[in-house]
Amino acid sequence: MITSLANEKVKYARSLRRRRQRRREGRFLVEGVRLLEEAVKAGMHPAFVFFQPERSTAPRVQALLDCLRAAGVSCLAASETVIRSLSETVTPQGIVAVVPQPRLPRAVSPSLVLVVDWLRDPGNLGTILRTAAAAGVDEVLLGPGTVDPYNPKVVRAGMGAHFRLPLASNLNWPQIAERLRGLAVWLADAQGERVYDAVDWRRPTALIVGGEAAGYSEEAAALAHGRLRVPMHGDVESLNAAVATAVILFEAARQRRTRPAD
């Protein structure tokens, strides 16, 4: 039983709460049974796992631990104090893993790419990633100034999207521009000239969405071939970034599902 916060593995895991360390190590923390199940299902091999024995008696948790041990993963019993030191939730589930950041292969010819620009809220980014995975986005690119996708709050809100969706962060705008070559690029803008459902989403397309506070950057605007909006009733000025993204992406999914490309 690990009880000390001075334990080397505990210190290492705690260091991954910092963005710089996550980037340097190429690892991040996954907390909770469901997220760890998603990681295992996606073929991820945790470096090691901490679990709280008194909270791991449920059959589902035991099955998960058995699966991890069978794969050769070190599963370390830890005290409540240790688990709480690694957790960002009010009520920890009693299991935390150190997992490598996924390196999913990019689509050879992506037909729907999402670019996130200047989004600072981790809950919104996590929801957007989850939505992108559900709507069939081929790849998500994160521009400068966007919150780290491996921030614990982003990971929780993503609900496993990190393990299913090709994701590229720490990109500069020339790199993003290169990846968008050959795609029609639309920028979400409350004052956009085109209504979102008047866009032909059946063609290879990229959508750029900005943050609620900072909006979008000049570099993002320069890449766009056009701007689109979600029309709203009354005096409502704008939608939450994650909600607006969901509305647009599922219109793209609807068109692709119901109408063949010309």
Side-chain angles (χ1 to χ4, degrees), residues 28 30 34-39 42 44 102 104 126 129-130 133 154-165:
F28 67 113
V30 170
R34 180 172 177 180
L35 271 179
L36 192 47
E37 286 175 337
E38 290 289 338
M44 303 302 296
L104 301 179
L129 295 180
R130 183 180 182 184
V154 179
V155 175
R156 285 202 306 277
M159 296 296 288
H162 291 73
F163 307 118
R164 299 189 292 270
L165 183 65

Side-chain angles (χ1 to χ4, degrees), residues 26-28 30 35-49 64 67-68 71-73 97-105 150 160-165:
R27 291 173 170 176
F28 67 113
V30 170
L35 271 179
L36 192 47
E37 286 175 337
E38 290 289 338
V40 171
K41 189 186 303 182
M44 303 302 296
H45 190 87
F48 49 89
V49 176
L64 176 58
C67 177
L68 290 166
V73 176
V98 172
V99 176
Q101 294 176 6
R103 294 290 184 266
L104 301 179
Y150 299 103
H162 291 73
F163 307 118
R164 299 189 292 270
L165 183 65

Side-chain angles (χ1 to χ4, degrees), residues 238-258:
S238 63
L239 293 172
N240 168 284
V243 173
T245 303
V247 169
I248 297 168
L249 289 182
F250 274 96
E251 169 60 19
R254 184 195 68 80
Q255 288 189 22
R256 290 161 182 252
R257 185 176 63 251
T258 60

